[in-house]
mmCIF file of all heavy atoms in Angstrom:
data_model
loop_
_atom_site.group_PDB
_atom_site.id
_atom_site.type_symbol
_atom_site.label_atom_id
_atom_site.label_comp_id
_atom_site.label_asym_id
_atom_site.label_seq_id
_atom_site.Cartn_x
_atom_site.Cartn_y
_atom_site.Cartn_z
ATOM 1 N N ALA I 1 5.516 -2.007 -5.430
ATOM 2 C CA ALA I 1 6.457 -2.864 -6.146
ATOM 3 C C ALA I 1 7.865 -2.499 -5.708
ATOM 4 O O ALA I 1 8.278 -1.356 -5.765
ATOM 5 C CB ALA I 1 6.306 -2.675 -7.647
ATOM 6 N N ALA I 2 8.592 -3.477 -5.231
ATOM 7 C CA ALA I 2 9.939 -3.213 -4.741
ATOM 8 C C ALA I 2 10.804 -4.445 -4.910
ATOM 9 O O ALA I 2 10.315 -5.529 -5.172
ATOM 10 C CB ALA I 2 9.889 -2.809 -3.267
ATOM 11 N N THR I 3 12.057 -4.272 -4.728
ATOM 12 C CA THR I 3 12.978 -5.397 -4.794
ATOM 13 C C THR I 3 13.680 -5.508 -3.451
ATOM 14 O O THR I 3 14.733 -4.930 -3.214
ATOM 15 C CB THR I 3 14.015 -5.194 -5.911
ATOM 16 O OG1 THR I 3 14.650 -3.931 -5.705
ATOM 17 C CG2 THR I 3 13.348 -5.197 -7.268
ATOM 18 N N GLY I 4 13.010 -6.217 -2.540
ATOM 19 C CA GLY I 4 13.621 -6.487 -1.261
ATOM 20 C C GLY I 4 13.398 -5.420 -0.212
ATOM 21 O O GLY I 4 13.892 -5.531 0.895
ATOM 22 N N ARG I 5 12.682 -4.323 -0.543
ATOM 23 C CA ARG I 5 12.439 -3.312 0.477
ATOM 24 C C ARG I 5 11.089 -2.653 0.186
ATOM 25 O O ARG I 5 10.549 -2.710 -0.912
ATOM 26 C CB ARG I 5 13.537 -2.248 0.481
ATOM 27 C CG ARG I 5 13.635 -1.472 -0.818
ATOM 28 C CD ARG I 5 14.744 -0.426 -0.757
ATOM 29 N NE ARG I 5 14.865 0.299 -2.001
ATOM 30 C CZ ARG I 5 14.124 1.328 -2.353
ATOM 31 N NH1 ARG I 5 13.163 1.743 -1.566
ATOM 32 N NH2 ARG I 5 14.314 1.951 -3.503
ATOM 33 N N GLN I 6 10.554 -1.995 1.186
ATOM 34 C CA GLN I 6 9.277 -1.299 1.039
ATOM 35 C C GLN I 6 9.468 -0.066 0.177
ATOM 36 O O GLN I 6 10.370 0.722 0.413
ATOM 37 C CB GLN I 6 8.744 -0.886 2.416
ATOM 38 C CG GLN I 6 7.405 -0.177 2.365
ATOM 39 C CD GLN I 6 6.277 -1.149 2.110
ATOM 40 O OE1 GLN I 6 6.390 -2.313 2.449
ATOM 41 N NE2 GLN I 6 5.208 -0.690 1.506
ATOM 42 N N ALA I 7 8.625 0.089 -0.839
ATOM 43 C CA ALA I 7 8.699 1.270 -1.703
ATOM 44 C C ALA I 7 7.481 2.124 -1.455
ATOM 45 O O ALA I 7 6.374 1.619 -1.302
ATOM 46 C CB ALA I 7 8.757 0.850 -3.168
ATOM 47 N N ALA I 8 7.666 3.420 -1.402
ATOM 48 C CA ALA I 8 6.534 4.323 -1.188
ATOM 49 C C ALA I 8 5.754 4.457 -2.480
ATOM 50 O O ALA I 8 6.294 4.899 -3.494
ATOM 51 C CB ALA I 8 7.053 5.691 -0.748
ATOM 52 N N PRO I 9 4.486 4.052 -2.515
ATOM 53 C CA PRO I 9 3.714 4.162 -3.741
ATOM 54 C C PRO I 9 3.400 5.614 -4.077
ATOM 55 O O PRO I 9 3.353 6.475 -3.211
ATOM 56 C CB PRO I 9 2.424 3.386 -3.411
ATOM 57 C CG PRO I 9 2.309 3.476 -1.927
ATOM 58 C CD PRO I 9 3.708 3.491 -1.394
ATOM 59 N N LYS I 10 3.219 5.851 -5.379
ATOM 60 C CA LYS I 10 2.830 7.191 -5.795
ATOM 61 C C LYS I 10 1.445 7.515 -5.239
ATOM 62 O O LYS I 10 0.659 6.617 -4.936
ATOM 63 C CB LYS I 10 2.815 7.273 -7.322
ATOM 64 C CG LYS I 10 4.184 7.061 -7.959
ATOM 65 C CD LYS I 10 4.083 7.114 -9.477
ATOM 66 C CE LYS I 10 5.448 6.901 -10.117
ATOM 67 N NZ LYS I 10 5.372 6.914 -11.590
ATOM 68 N N LEU I 11 1.142 8.801 -5.166
ATOM 69 C CA LEU I 11 -0.127 9.223 -4.590
ATOM 70 C C LEU I 11 -1.312 8.568 -5.286
ATOM 71 O O LEU I 11 -2.239 8.090 -4.642
ATOM 72 C CB LEU I 11 -0.252 10.752 -4.664
ATOM 73 C CG LEU I 11 -1.556 11.345 -4.101
ATOM 74 C CD1 LEU I 11 -1.673 11.013 -2.618
ATOM 75 C CD2 LEU I 11 -1.589 12.851 -4.327
ATOM 76 N N ARG I 12 -1.262 8.505 -6.647
ATOM 77 C CA ARG I 12 -2.400 7.949 -7.382
ATOM 78 C C ARG I 12 -2.548 6.443 -7.170
ATOM 79 O O ARG I 12 -3.588 5.865 -7.465
ATOM 80 C CB ARG I 12 -2.244 8.237 -8.876
ATOM 81 C CG ARG I 12 -1.106 7.479 -9.524
ATOM 82 C CD ARG I 12 -0.997 7.795 -10.999
ATOM 83 N NE ARG I 12 0.105 7.052 -11.601
ATOM 84 C CZ ARG I 12 0.473 7.176 -12.854
ATOM 85 N NH1 ARG I 12 -0.157 8.015 -13.640
ATOM 86 N NH2 ARG I 12 1.476 6.466 -13.340
ATOM 87 N N ASP I 13 -1.461 5.777 -6.698
ATOM 88 C CA ASP I 13 -1.505 4.336 -6.485
ATOM 89 C C ASP I 13 -1.844 3.942 -5.056
ATOM 90 O O ASP I 13 -1.916 2.770 -4.742
ATOM 91 C CB ASP I 13 -0.163 3.710 -6.882
ATOM 92 C CG ASP I 13 0.063 3.752 -8.390
ATOM 93 O OD1 ASP I 13 -0.935 3.709 -9.115
ATOM 94 O OD2 ASP I 13 1.219 3.844 -8.817
ATOM 95 N N ARG I 14 -2.002 4.937 -4.184
ATOM 96 C CA ARG I 14 -2.386 4.613 -2.813
ATOM 97 C C ARG I 14 -3.856 4.220 -2.775
ATOM 98 O O ARG I 14 -4.699 4.838 -3.401
ATOM 99 C CB ARG I 14 -2.122 5.808 -1.901
ATOM 100 C CG ARG I 14 -0.628 6.134 -1.752
ATOM 101 C CD ARG I 14 -0.401 7.370 -0.928
ATOM 102 N NE ARG I 14 1.015 7.737 -0.909
ATOM 103 C CZ ARG I 14 1.478 8.878 -0.457
ATOM 104 N NH1 ARG I 14 0.638 9.788 0.033
ATOM 105 N NH2 ARG I 14 2.770 9.134 -0.490
ATOM 106 N N TRP I 15 -4.152 3.217 -1.995
ATOM 107 C CA TRP I 15 -5.509 2.686 -1.973
ATOM 108 C C TRP I 15 -5.998 2.619 -0.545
ATOM 109 O O TRP I 15 -5.327 2.071 0.326
ATOM 110 C CB TRP I 15 -5.520 1.295 -2.603
ATOM 111 C CG TRP I 15 -6.874 0.676 -2.694
ATOM 112 C CD1 TRP I 15 -7.985 1.215 -3.251
ATOM 113 C CD2 TRP I 15 -7.246 -0.617 -2.224
ATOM 114 N NE1 TRP I 15 -9.033 0.334 -3.168
ATOM 115 C CE2 TRP I 15 -8.614 -0.802 -2.540
ATOM 116 C CE3 TRP I 15 -6.556 -1.641 -1.579
ATOM 117 C CZ2 TRP I 15 -9.288 -1.965 -2.227
ATOM 118 C CZ3 TRP I 15 -7.242 -2.798 -1.271
ATOM 119 C CH2 TRP I 15 -8.597 -2.954 -1.601
ATOM 120 N N GLN I 16 -7.141 3.196 -0.311
ATOM 121 C CA GLN I 16 -7.781 3.139 1.004
ATOM 122 C C GLN I 16 -9.050 2.302 0.860
ATOM 123 O O GLN I 16 -10.112 2.810 0.506
ATOM 124 C CB GLN I 16 -8.108 4.550 1.505
ATOM 125 C CG GLN I 16 -6.891 5.438 1.692
ATOM 126 C CD GLN I 16 -5.916 4.894 2.728
ATOM 127 O OE1 GLN I 16 -6.326 4.253 3.697
ATOM 128 N NE2 GLN I 16 -4.637 5.151 2.539
ATOM 129 N N PRO I 17 -8.955 1.007 1.083
ATOM 130 C CA PRO I 17 -10.067 0.114 0.764
ATOM 131 C C PRO I 17 -11.201 0.095 1.765
ATOM 132 O O PRO I 17 -12.194 -0.575 1.545
ATOM 133 C CB PRO I 17 -9.379 -1.253 0.714
ATOM 134 C CG PRO I 17 -8.262 -1.123 1.702
ATOM 135 C CD PRO I 17 -7.779 0.293 1.594
ATOM 136 N N GLY I 18 -11.071 0.773 2.893
ATOM 137 C CA GLY I 18 -12.123 0.712 3.890
ATOM 138 C C GLY I 18 -12.170 -0.608 4.614
ATOM 139 O O GLY I 18 -13.226 -1.053 5.057
ATOM 140 N N ILE I 19 -11.031 -1.271 4.697
ATOM 141 C CA ILE I 19 -10.927 -2.546 5.415
ATOM 142 C C ILE I 19 -10.498 -2.267 6.854
ATOM 143 O O ILE I 19 -9.421 -1.712 7.088
ATOM 144 C CB ILE I 19 -9.919 -3.484 4.717
ATOM 145 C CG1 ILE I 19 -10.420 -3.844 3.306
ATOM 146 C CG2 ILE I 19 -9.706 -4.752 5.537
ATOM 147 C CD1 ILE I 19 -9.449 -4.676 2.501
ATOM 148 N N ASP I 20 -11.334 -2.647 7.802
ATOM 149 C CA ASP I 20 -11.071 -2.331 9.213
ATOM 150 C C ASP I 20 -9.992 -3.211 9.821
ATOM 151 O O ASP I 20 -9.318 -2.803 10.771
ATOM 152 C CB ASP I 20 -12.357 -2.464 10.027
ATOM 153 C CG ASP I 20 -13.402 -1.414 9.631
ATOM 154 O OD1 ASP I 20 -12.987 -0.344 9.176
ATOM 155 O OD2 ASP I 20 -14.602 -1.700 9.776
ATOM 156 N N VAL I 21 -9.824 -4.426 9.323
ATOM 157 C CA VAL I 21 -8.836 -5.324 9.920
ATOM 158 C C VAL I 21 -7.430 -4.848 9.570
ATOM 159 O O VAL I 21 -7.210 -4.234 8.519
ATOM 160 C CB VAL I 21 -9.044 -6.774 9.433
ATOM 161 C CG1 VAL I 21 -10.430 -7.267 9.796
ATOM 162 C CG2 VAL I 21 -8.803 -6.885 7.938
ATOM 163 N N PRO I 22 -6.453 -5.111 10.431
ATOM 164 C CA PRO I 22 -5.078 -4.694 10.135
ATOM 165 C C PRO I 22 -4.473 -5.536 9.014
ATOM 166 O O PRO I 22 -4.871 -6.686 8.798
ATOM 167 C CB PRO I 22 -4.345 -4.927 11.458
ATOM 168 C CG PRO I 22 -5.133 -5.982 12.143
ATOM 169 C CD PRO I 22 -6.563 -5.752 11.763
ATOM 170 N N ALA I 23 -3.531 -4.936 8.301
ATOM 171 C CA ALA I 23 -2.828 -5.672 7.257
ATOM 172 C C ALA I 23 -2.033 -6.807 7.882
ATOM 173 O O ALA I 23 -1.421 -6.650 8.936
ATOM 174 C CB ALA I 23 -1.899 -4.733 6.493
ATOM 175 N N SER I 24 -2.082 -7.959 7.244
ATOM 176 C CA SER I 24 -1.340 -9.105 7.755
ATOM 177 C C SER I 24 0.130 -8.987 7.364
ATOM 178 O O SER I 24 0.512 -8.097 6.597
ATOM 179 C CB SER I 24 -1.931 -10.405 7.211
ATOM 180 O OG SER I 24 -1.781 -10.447 5.803
ATOM 181 N N SER I 25 0.927 -9.901 7.874
ATOM 182 C CA SER I 25 2.352 -9.883 7.575
ATOM 183 C C SER I 25 2.800 -11.270 7.162
ATOM 184 O O SER I 25 2.367 -12.275 7.741
ATOM 185 C CB SER I 25 3.149 -9.414 8.798
ATOM 186 O OG SER I 25 4.534 -9.428 8.539
ATOM 187 N N GLY I 26 3.645 -11.316 6.122
ATOM 188 C CA GLY I 26 4.217 -12.586 5.699
ATOM 189 C C GLY I 26 3.431 -13.322 4.645
ATOM 190 O O GLY I 26 3.761 -14.466 4.314
#
């Protein structure tokens, strides 16, 4: 959650979903 910029999520909020495809953009 950010306002106009990338915010570093807290450790407990990081999610490793096991999705092999790269994250999309836009």
Side-chain angles (χ1 to χ4, degrees):
T3 54
R5 62 180 179 83
Q6 181 76 27
K10 296 178 180 179
L11 179 62
R12 69 180 180 183
D13 290 330
R14 294 176 186 168
W15 183 53
Q16 298 299 328
I19 296 176
D20 294 332
V21 301
S24 64
S25 178

